[in-house]
């Protein structure tokens, strides 16, 4: 099943309505609450997801929807829109514009279309499997690194790893040129544009990673899990993004030392 121009148009419209819902709350009163898992949620998260869901239901009523805030709506088409209205809520509530809205279209469990939208800076990466990734309408490209010791590594927070994962990450960290912390989905946009070389994370849910795959791979990179397998709806949330696909085996080898 191919991604149609109508699908791309809808993804663009979804990013537009989410951004319009989010911007009035940024560095303003955003109604912070804690969810059952202690993660933060704001009025902006809920308003943005509600706006996106309404638009999907009007446009493609047979498609399923998975959203971080309002759960799953079953569908009949084999297609699923996956929404994370604010990936990086902690950045949002601290007034830092390094969060993003994530929009994905999965077909039979495979990520086929993805958008990373930063509504404050008005930066948008759009990817479709088999097509070049666009950053604000121009082609985005990852950069070549010939070895890990040339690479800039990013992760949101080491605190999100369990003990074994942290040990593995530290082993990788010791082999790269430098490491930056924080950034959530914004790291993957920066990777697609050639500013970051590797992102490694764990504990991600489908709404955290589905949109990233078409963006990174359409820019020349590769995404997979820590075993090197493609990311699908069945993945457990251990994620590697590499701007240079030839470095993936090196990254996996470094991460394989968990617990040793």
């Amino acid at each position: 099943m191919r991604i149609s121009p109508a699908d791309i148009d809808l993804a663009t419209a979804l990013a537009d309505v989410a951004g319009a819902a989010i911007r009035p709350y940024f560095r303003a009163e955003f109604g912070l609450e804690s969810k059952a898992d202690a993660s933060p949620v704001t009025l902006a998260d809920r308003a943005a997801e509600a706006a996106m869901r309404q638009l999907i239901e009007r446009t493609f009523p047979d498609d399923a929807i998975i959203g971080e805030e309002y759960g799953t709506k079953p569908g009949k088409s084999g297609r699923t829109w996956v929404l994370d209205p604010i990936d990086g809520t902690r950045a949002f509530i601290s007034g830092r514009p390094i969060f993003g809205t994530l929009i994905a279209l999965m077909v039979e469990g495979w990520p086929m279309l993805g958008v990373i939208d930063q509504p404050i800076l008005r930066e948008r990466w759009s990817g479709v499997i088999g097509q070049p990734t666009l950053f604000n309408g121009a082609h985005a490209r990852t950069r070549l690194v010939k070895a890990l010791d040339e690479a800039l590594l990013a992760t949101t927070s080491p605190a999100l790893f369990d003990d074994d994962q942290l040990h593995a990450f530290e082993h990788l960290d010791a082999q790269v040129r430098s490491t930056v912390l924080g950034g959530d989905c914004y790291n993957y946009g920066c990777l697609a544009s050639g500013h970051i070389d590797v992102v490694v994370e764990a504990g991600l849910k489908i709404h955290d990673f589905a949109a990233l795959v078409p963006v990174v791979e359409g820019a020349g990179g590769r995404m997979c899990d820590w075993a090197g397998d493609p990311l699908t709806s069945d993945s457990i949330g251990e994620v590697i993004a590499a701007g240079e696909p030839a470095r993936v085996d090196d990254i996996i080898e470094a991460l394989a030392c968990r617990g040793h």
Side-chain angles (χ1 to χ4, degrees), residues 13 16 20 42-43 46 65-66 68 80 85-86 88 91 103 110 115 117 134 139 151 197 217-218 234 237-238 256:
D16 288 343
T42 70
L43 294 171
R46 291 175 173 145
I65 304 172
I66 296 173
E68 183 180 17
T80 303
I86 298 181
I103 299 157
W110 293 87
V115 174
D117 187 71
L134 300 178
H139 287 183
D197 303 302
E217 297 195 343
D234 296 324
E238 293 185 338

Side-chain angles (χ1 to χ4, degrees), residues 97-120:
I98 53 171
F99 60 91
T101 297
L102 295 179
I103 299 157
L105 176 58
M106 302 187 77
V107 180
E108 304 295 346
W110 293 87
M112 301 294 289
L113 177 156
V115 174
I116 304 170
D117 187 71
Q118 211 309 305
I120 309 304

Side-chain angles (χ1 to χ4, degrees), residues 148 151-182 187-188 196 198-202 226 238-241 250-260:
L148 283 182
L152 177 61
L153 169 67
T155 196
T156 298
S157 172
L160 299 175
F161 296 121
D162 66 24
D163 289 346
D164 284 350
Q165 292 163 346
L166 179 59
H167 182 83
F169 177 81
E170 289 172 341
H171 192 250
L172 174 62
D173 175 54
Q175 297 187 41
V176 300
R177 175 170 59 87
S178 186
T179 299
V180 294
L181 303 180
N187 288 334
Y188 299 84
I196 290 173
V198 181
V199 185
V200 170
E201 296 189 282
W226 288 22
E238 293 185 338
V239 168
I240 294 169
D250 301 333
I251 297 164
I252 292 171
E253 182 178 355
L255 293 172
C257 71
R258 66 173 82 190
H260 300 301

Side-chain angles (χ1 to χ4, degrees), residues 38-217:
S39 61
V41 62
T42 70
L43 294 171
D45 294 86
R46 291 175 173 145
E49 184 171 322
M52 289 191 287
R53 294 176 83 102
Q54 289 170 9
L55 188 51
I56 295 168
E57 289 171 6
R58 287 201 306 268
T59 310
F60 294 121
D62 290 338
D63 288 358
I65 304 172
I66 296 173
E68 183 180 17
E69 307 307 333
Y70 292 112
T72 300
K73 174 209 166 215
K76 299 181 287 187
S77 65
R79 295 157 36 105
T80 303
W81 293 89
V82 184
L83 310 174
D84 191 346
I86 298 181
D87 182 78
T89 300
R90 289 178 176 84
F92 174 82
I93 63 179
S94 61
R96 298 188 299 164
I98 53 171
F99 60 91
T101 297
L102 295 179
I103 299 157
L105 176 58
M106 302 187 77
V107 180
E108 304 295 346
W110 293 87
M112 301 294 289
L113 177 156
V115 174
I116 304 170
D117 187 71
Q118 211 309 305
I120 309 304
L121 302 176
R122 297 182 188 266
E123 295 180 335
R124 183 176 298 172
W125 292 266
S126 303
V128 176
I129 291 297
Q131 299 182 26
T133 289
L134 300 178
F135 172 62
N136 287 357
H139 287 183
R141 291 295 300 174
T142 60
R143 66 183 171 194
L144 172 68
V145 288
K146 297 180 179 179
L148 283 182
D149 62 9
E150 298 178 4
L152 177 61
L153 169 67
T155 196
T156 298
S157 172
L160 299 175
F161 296 121
D162 66 24
D163 289 346
D164 284 350
Q165 292 163 346
L166 179 59
H167 182 83
F169 177 81
E170 289 172 341
H171 192 250
L172 174 62
D173 175 54
Q175 297 187 41
V176 300
R177 175 170 59 87
S178 186
T179 299
V180 294
L181 303 180
D184 297 278
C185 67
Y186 196 70
N187 288 334
Y188 299 84
C190 291
L191 182 143
S193 289
H195 307 300
I196 290 173
D197 303 302
V198 181
V199 185
V200 170
E201 296 189 282
L204 301 190
K205 299 181 174 61
I206 189 170
H207 52 73
D208 297 313
F209 67 76
L212 310 175
V213 177
V215 170
V216 168
E217 297 195 343

